[in-house]
């Protein structure tokens, strides 16, 4: 059945799509191109570890500000103990710890990239 309605375009010269199996090799990096192995990444990692060391006491300080203990003396009874939690300080403490953890993970990544990554030797593929 053929569609003969006006305003429809007829495609007469359409061919099937072809798939190329040829792979394009990656270009070799030039002498000035950045590589993964960069010893200066160790300095970034040290800076991040120092920042984590500064954030840890800040998180503890925020947590201590968010937890308040109250004691109400009662005659002829032990005192009534109560604890109040302030959500803004607890939330700030959790946020600071989260940032510190992300920085610590990135410091590990930077250290690995600074120390362990080496260039790969080119292995020739066997002829088939």
């Amino acid at each position: 059945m053929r569609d003969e309605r006006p305003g429809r375009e007829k495609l007469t010269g359409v061919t099937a799509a072809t798939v190329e199996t040829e792979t394009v090799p990656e270009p070799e990096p030039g002498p000035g191109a950045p590589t993964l192995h960069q010893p200066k990444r160790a300095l970034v990692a040290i800076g991040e570890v120092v920042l984590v060391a500064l954030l840890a006491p800040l998180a503890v300080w925020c947590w201590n500000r968010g937890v308040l203990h109250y004691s109400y003396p009662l005659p002829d009874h032990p005192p009534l103990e109560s604890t109040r939690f302030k959500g803004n300080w607890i939330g700030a403490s959790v946020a600071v710890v989260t940032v510190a953890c992300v920085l610590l993970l990135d410091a590990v990544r930077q250290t690995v990239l600074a120390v362990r990554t080496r260039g790969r030797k080119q292995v020739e593929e066997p002829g088939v």
Side-chain angles (χ1 to χ4, degrees), residues 10-126:
K10 296 180 184 178
L11 301 175
T12 56
V14 178
T15 59
T18 58
V19 178
E20 294 182 22
T21 58
E22 194 176 307
T23 60
V24 178
E26 292 186 21
E28 292 290 325
T35 60
L36 288 177
H37 176 63
Q38 295 177 358
K40 64 183 174 184
R41 289 180 184 262
L43 297 175
V44 174
I46 290 170
E48 288 176 338
V49 169
V50 168
L51 193 57
V52 167
L54 294 175
L55 288 176
L58 177 65
V60 171
W61 180 77
C62 287
W63 186 271
N64 289 335
R65 298 254 337 207
V67 179
L68 301 175
H69 298 284
Y70 296 107
S71 179
Y72 301 103
L74 297 174
D76 300 331
H77 293 293
L80 179 65
E81 300 290 332
S82 177
T83 303
R84 180 179 176 197
F85 296 100
K86 293 185 175 183
N88 56 346
W89 288 107
I90 301 291
S93 176
V94 169
V96 168
V97 168
T98 302
V99 169
C101 288
V102 169
L103 284 173
L104 192 60
L105 283 174
D106 189 58
V108 170
R109 177 184 150 270
Q110 294 286 355
T111 303
V112 169
L113 288 175
V115 175
R116 297 181 75 191
T117 303
R118 301 285 191 265
R120 206 184 280 179
K121 292 183 180 178
Q122 294 292 335
V123 178
E124 295 200 21
E125 294 181 17

